[in-house]
Amino acid sequence: MLHLSRPARAACLLLLCLPLLLLFPHLSWAHAFIVESSPTENQVLDKPPSQVTITFNENLQSAFMSMKVTDETGKRVDTGKARLNPEHEDTMEIKLIPGMKSGIYTVNWRALSADGHPVNGVIPFQVGSGSNAYKDPVAASEGSGASRPDLIATRWLLYIGQSLLLGALCFRLFILPGVNRSREASEQQELDKRASIPLPRWTTLLWSGYGITSVAILISLPLQASWDAGVSMGEGFSLSILGEALQFTGAGQIWFIQMILVLLLSVALIYALDHSISDRQRRLWGYGSVVMTLGLMLSKAFTGHPAAAAHPAPAIAADFVHLAAAAFWVGSLAVMAVCLPVAGRELPESERAVLRQAALRRFAGWGIAMVAALLATGIYGAVLYVPVPSMLLNTSYGLVLLGKAALLLVMLAFAASQFRSARQAAAAKRAIGGLRIELSVGLLVMLLAAVLTHLSPGQAPAVPFEETRTAGEYSISLAVSPNTVGSNEFKVTVRDAKGASVQGIQQVTLTLVPADPDKARQEFVLPARQQQPSLTQELLTAEGTWAVQVHALTASLDAVDAEFTLHVGGKR
């Protein structure tokens, strides 16, 4: 019977507690997008504005932002560098020179999202409506900078390096020795004997993981900074670009922490491999190396999609656990596929088979823990970033996520085969081939994970809102279309007890109260109309849940009140 280790039992409990994770609000932003601008796109103004302001759905990072306002000849009409509004970090602004003439102007903007991805776009507007008026206004464009293969490759190398590091350390500390004081003395002696068996290639695998991790972290900052700033790869190594990235971007600050951890990790690894100190001291340094490797993984979770979630704490925790579980799984597979076949060469073949079987059996217990953690955090992440099932097939992020899930199923199939092999000494040798295939699939999974970090999850498709509420002897119908961040049509209809529209409505007031206390409430009055419904075009400034309070006043001065719950989707 296969013994489940304590970590395996704990992780299975985590999987059973998955519904508790889903209780966290799972609203998540993709890359930043505009919710309001002044001037608006293609707006015609009677007089020139004094400044241009652009408000986004989330706070921006202050580095590498730019706004350039030009006239029809390409001459700049702004007065200097763009800045964040000191009171509203989701708004960037730039002053314009006085005395702008009538004509068409173009705002070219670039900003850095909270998740570290650059976004950019164009907003045209016009001053005056004379001979310079344009018949076919230029459509405003908005998007994120296309991700570069070098960034994806660097992230993939980082995942591989961290996996080799964590896998090599944990295999030596937790899987191969299997020291447990509660076991029988005879079995303990056998385990101690197995712990002293050298693992050829293990040290090479460990230092390879450290080297790959160090190089990937070292080059990640200039590559990321060049992408954020919209400059060439070579310019990303300039001191000015690196300085701005280190000072004003989350990725730069995390990079500084990671470099400190990398240096400390090198010292810990040297002592963990130093045979001139006691086994107990080396084991303690090994534990310290594991903690620092996990610290590197945790620090990376503070950048990217988790950091931009509406509730970042659970998103960051889930991302960290997901990465750590995958790294332990893939790294341990690498150790067993590379080192286990040549381990214990001085032993008879029968004892080498027992060693392989014991390692597979112990890894199976840990593997169940990792699978449970991966499933729990993977499902949570899917709900967080792909809240609507149709987005799996309609977005690049969803398609890559499906590919990653399919490869994970392949890995699970091979893992099930290893699970059976762990019970049969004769099959333990044949299982090595399966381990290598499982490892190859795991590396492909990590490649797709690296791709996902540079794709926007996208926004859930908007669903127009329409509901009816009873208000005494009346009923009120509210329709909101398209029910997205930005401009929306609000339509209110008041009916009597017979279902007929009530004519002569004197006034309709809408009050929008956000569920998030940090957001401002909105209130507007619908223009009076002789015939129903009452209509108005208004701006919804943010995603999320809003309580819409409708107050209507009839010709006989009867007050008709109702409240609706509106769930606003992202920008289309």
Side-chain angles (χ1 to χ4, degrees):
M1 181 177 178
L2 185 65
H3 174 72
L4 287 183
S5 62
R6 182 177 298 174
R9 295 194 297 269
C12 290
L13 181 61
L14 172 64
L15 182 59
L16 294 175
C17 293
L18 176 62
L20 296 179
L21 275 177
L22 300 181
L23 292 178
F24 284 100
H26 52 267
L27 171 65
S28 173
W29 299 115
H31 305 333
F33 58 80
I34 295 175
V35 296
E36 185 179 6
S37 68
S38 177
T40 60
E41 58 185 81
N42 300 323
Q43 184 177 6
V44 179
L45 304 173
D46 294 331
K47 59 181 182 179
S50 61
Q51 68 176 6
V52 173
T53 63
I54 304 177
T55 301
F56 295 81
N57 64 305
E58 62 183 33
N59 288 348
L60 303 175
Q61 300 189 51
S62 58
F64 306 123
M65 73 167 53
S66 66
M67 292 175 68
K68 184 171 69 172
V69 186
T70 57
D71 61 17
E72 299 171 18
T73 66
K75 180 182 177 181
R76 293 191 66 165
V77 295
D78 54 77
T79 58
K81 188 177 180 181
R83 66 164 194 163
L84 284 180
N85 185 302
E87 298 180 358
H88 304 283
E89 294 185 0
D90 59 353
T91 300
M92 58 189 295
E93 57 190 23
I94 192 168
K95 299 290 185 181
L96 301 180
I97 62 174
M100 291 168 52
K101 299 179 180 180
S102 297
I104 300 172
Y105 294 87
T106 304
V107 182
N108 286 274
W109 61 268
R110 183 181 182 89
L112 193 60
S113 304
D115 65 0
H117 290 81
V119 290
N120 57 79
V122 177
I123 301 175
F125 67 95
Q126 179 175 330
V127 175
S129 55
S131 59
N132 289 325
Y134 51 100
K135 303 298 183 182
D136 298 310
V138 179
S141 62
E142 181 181 342
S144 73
S147 185
R148 297 197 317 234
D150 58 296
L151 288 170
I152 295 175
T154 301
R155 181 63 69 97
W156 187 34
L157 286 176
L158 178 62
Y159 289 162
I160 292 175
Q162 291 176 338
S163 298
L164 293 179
L165 255 177
L166 187 66
L169 288 167
C170 291
F171 189 87
R172 193 54 143 160
L173 289 170
F174 307 123
I175 297 178
L176 186 64
V179 177
N180 188 333
R181 295 180 180 179
S182 64
R183 294 181 180 274
E184 297 291 339
S186 59
E187 186 178 357
Q188 182 64 56
Q189 292 176 359
E190 185 177 338
L191 291 171
D192 290 339
K193 178 182 177 181
R194 188 164 75 242
S196 65
I197 296 175
L199 276 178
R201 308 172 185 168
W202 178 82
T203 304
T204 302
L205 205 62
L206 179 68
W207 283 113
S208 297
Y210 175 79
I212 294 172
T213 300
S214 302
V215 171
I217 291 175
L218 185 64
I219 66 175
S220 65
L221 181 65
L223 295 180
Q224 181 72 37
S226 66
W227 186 45
D228 292 343
V231 298
S232 67
M233 192 184 306
E235 290 178 276
F237 288 84
S238 66
L239 292 180
S240 60
I241 295 294
L242 289 175
E244 186 170 354
L246 281 170
Q247 188 174 0
F248 298 111
T249 69
Q253 294 160 6
I254 292 299
W255 180 88
F256 185 76
I257 295 173
Q258 288 179 322
M259 289 305 301
I260 293 176
L261 286 173
V262 164
L263 293 175
L264 293 176
L265 181 58
S266 66
V267 176
L269 289 176
I270 290 172
Y271 278 103
L273 299 175
D274 185 1
H275 290 276
S276 64
I277 60 178
S278 67
D279 290 343
R280 181 177 179 276
Q281 289 176 312
R282 283 163 46 203
R283 195 178 306 116
L284 289 176
W285 281 108
Y287 292 147
S289 300
V290 170
V291 171
M292 281 182 255
T293 303
L294 292 174
L296 287 173
M297 297 179 183
L298 177 61
S299 66
K300 202 60 184 176
F302 280 85
T303 62
H305 300 316
H311 296 268
I316 289 171
D319 186 78
F320 163 67
V321 172
H322 193 78
L323 176 58
F328 184 100
W329 189 2
V330 173
S332 298
L333 287 173
V335 175
M336 290 191 293
V338 174
C339 303
L340 204 56
V342 293
R345 280 181 170 172
E346 70 281 3
L347 300 175
E349 177 57 35
S350 59
E351 294 188 28
R352 291 173 61 185
V354 171
L355 173 63
R356 285 192 291 266
Q357 182 190 13
L360 286 171
R361 186 174 64 249
R362 292 190 57 80
F363 174 70
W366 281 91
I368 291 174
M370 299 304 107
V371 169
L374 281 169
L375 286 176
T377 55
I379 293 173
Y380 175 68
V383 173
L384 186 69
Y385 302 118
V386 190
V388 179
S390 61
M391 294 174 64
L392 289 171
L393 299 176
N394 297 331
T395 64
S396 298
Y397 188 95
L399 291 172
V400 174
L401 185 62
L402 285 177
K404 179 185 171 186
L407 289 178
L408 278 174
L409 290 177
V410 173
M411 288 188 70
L412 286 174
F414 278 100
S417 175
Q418 311 311 321
F419 185 92
R420 291 192 298 270
S421 298
R423 299 184 176 185
Q424 305 170 11
K429 183 176 181 179
R430 297 195 303 271
I432 299 299
L435 289 173
R436 290 169 179 164
I437 298 175
E438 188 179 346
L439 173 62
S440 300
V441 178
L443 295 177
L444 290 177
V445 170
M446 289 192 160
L447 175 59
L448 293 185
V451 173
L452 285 175
T453 62
H454 290 277
L455 289 177
S456 171
Q459 298 294 323
V463 178
F465 175 87
E466 185 169 3
E467 281 188 8
T468 300
R469 290 279 188 271
T470 300
E473 61 185 62
Y474 298 95
S475 65
I476 296 180
S477 296
L478 172 66
V480 182
S481 180
N483 191 26
T484 62
V485 172
S487 181
N488 288 264
E489 180 187 69
F490 288 78
K491 181 169 63 175
V492 175
T493 305
V494 181
R495 295 182 174 87
D496 58 23
K498 297 180 180 180
S501 296
V502 178
Q503 303 305 316
I505 295 294
Q506 299 297 302
Q507 179 179 296
V508 175
T509 303
L510 297 182
T511 304
L512 277 66
V513 181
D516 186 345
D518 294 332
K519 297 175 183 175
R521 60 189 291 161
Q522 298 177 244
E523 182 173 306
F524 36 85
V525 178
L526 278 63
R529 290 169 55 100
Q530 292 298 322
Q531 303 292 328
Q532 291 220 52
S534 300
L535 299 171
T536 187
Q537 199 77 19
E538 300 292 344
L539 187 72
L540 284 171
T541 57
E543 285 188 356
T545 302
W546 298 75
V548 182
Q549 300 167 357
V550 182
H551 173 75
L553 194 64
T554 68
S556 58
L557 300 184
D558 290 335
V560 185
D561 297 286
E563 183 171 312
F564 300 83
T565 301
L566 179 67
H567 301 284
V568 181
K571 185 177 181 181
R572 290 181 301 173

